[in-house]
């Protein structure tokens, strides 16, 4: 259960072997059913969550509609790092689209461990650099590309989304109706 997160830390962040072992010992394992909210807007992120298996959607919600902004389908961290790091309320929501396996660690023990191994600053900086790069690309693409171009990019760069995520959620991500997505798919195929 811990091999995916261990590999993630070994390749992405500078924890030594003892640090990784200690970190892994602090994570709790959770099995969560499909359709379960795991993050709600207007709350502060209190734990760092790592998706081991399954699919999660991330979205913004108003009283009128929900708009998907991301899907997690591979082993990776799924917490709102901005909320987690700055103790601020999130605007995001997350919900499981399948049954999932999740690892989580509370904020205080995680911060203490990063300080102990003197890698906390680099972890936060590297995480934010990746998030900003992703956000910049997403914003640029949503403003400059048509829904058809965005769908074609998903087909090339994120085919796992198209395999694992229901089409009406993909349509929401592209900010189009499911019917428009259906027409786009017919033109492409």
């Amino acid at each position: 259960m811990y091999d995916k997160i261990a590999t993630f830390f070994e390749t992405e962040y500078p924890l030594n072997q003892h640090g990784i072992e200690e970190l892994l010992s602090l994570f709790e394992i959770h099995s969560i059913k499909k359709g379960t909210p795991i993050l709600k807007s207007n709350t502060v992120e209190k734990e760092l969550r790592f998706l081991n298996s399954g699919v999660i959607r991330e979205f913004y919600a108003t009283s009128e509609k929900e708009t998907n902004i991301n899907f997690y389908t591979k082993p990776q961290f799924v917490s709102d790092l901005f909320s987690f790091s700055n103790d601020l309320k999130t605007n995001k929501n997350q919900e499981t689209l399948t049954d999932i396996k999740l690892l989580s660690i509370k904020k205080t023990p995680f911060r203490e461990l990063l300080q102990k191994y003197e890698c906390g600053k680099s972890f936060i900086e590297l995480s934010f650099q990746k998030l900003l790069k992703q956000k910049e690309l997403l914003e640029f693409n949503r403003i400059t590309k048509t829904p058809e171009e965005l769908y074609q990019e998903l087909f090339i760069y994120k085919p796992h989304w198209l395999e694992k995520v229901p089409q009406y959620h993909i349509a929401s991500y592209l900010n189009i109706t499911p019917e428009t997505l259906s027409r786009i798919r017919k033109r492409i195929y």
Side-chain angles (χ1 to χ4, degrees):
M1 187 70 168
Y2 293 101
D3 58 331
K4 292 176 183 173
I5 193 169
T7 301
F8 182 90
F9 269 105
E10 287 169 359
T11 58
E12 299 288 331
Y13 299 102
L15 277 174
N16 63 31
Q17 190 60 40
H18 297 292
I20 289 173
E21 289 171 6
E22 189 173 342
L23 175 66
L24 295 181
S25 73
L26 297 173
F27 274 91
E28 298 175 7
I29 302 170
H30 305 276
S31 295
I32 302 172
K33 294 288 184 195
K34 175 182 178 177
T36 303
I38 58 171
L39 178 65
K40 293 185 179 184
S41 64
N42 258 349
T43 62
V44 175
E45 187 75 81
K46 294 183 179 165
E47 59 185 15
L48 192 60
R49 293 181 316 281
F50 186 87
L51 176 65
N52 215 45
S53 65
V55 180
I56 296 171
R57 79 176 177 118
E58 187 170 73
F59 61 99
Y60 294 123
T62 66
S63 58
E64 290 84 40
K65 72 174 192 170
E66 295 178 354
T67 302
N68 292 313
I69 56 172
N70 201 357
F71 301 101
Y72 299 99
T73 58
K74 296 179 177 179
Q76 62 188 300
F77 282 98
V78 296
S79 299
D80 181 338
L81 290 177
F82 188 76
S83 173
F84 180 82
S85 298
N86 296 297
D87 297 316
L88 296 172
K89 289 182 180 179
T90 183
N91 293 318
K92 298 176 181 179
N93 297 279
Q94 292 177 341
E95 175 186 49
T96 59
L97 291 181
T98 64
D99 291 351
I100 66 167
K101 299 284 187 204
L102 193 72
L103 304 173
S104 69
I105 183 173
K106 300 288 184 207
K107 191 181 297 190
T108 300
F110 179 72
R111 286 180 173 169
E112 290 169 355
L113 184 81
L114 292 182
Q115 286 180 340
K116 178 179 178 181
Y117 289 98
E118 299 180 0
C119 60
K121 187 176 179 189
S122 63
F123 174 81
I124 298 301
E125 286 175 356
L126 288 171
S127 297
F128 278 119
Q129 286 174 7
K130 287 181 179 185
L131 287 174
L132 287 173
K133 185 178 178 183
Q134 290 171 348
K135 184 175 176 155
E136 177 96 9
L137 182 60
L138 176 64
E139 287 175 359
F140 177 78
N141 284 342
R142 285 197 168 184
I143 291 170
T144 62
K145 297 188 178 176
T146 67
E148 188 164 336
E149 291 170 322
L150 292 172
Y151 183 80
Q152 288 174 330
E153 284 192 355
L154 289 180
F155 192 77
I156 295 167
Y157 299 111
K158 297 189 183 266
H160 51 281
W161 282 19
L162 301 178
E163 294 167 6
K164 297 179 178 184
V165 176
Q167 292 302 302
Y168 67 95
H169 283 307
I170 296 291
S172 169
Y173 174 80
L174 297 172
N175 206 20
I176 59 176
T177 66
E179 294 78 20
T180 301
L181 177 58
S182 181
R183 287 191 291 275
I184 288 170
R185 293 179 71 205
K186 285 178 185 175
R187 281 195 301 269
I188 291 174
Y189 300 122

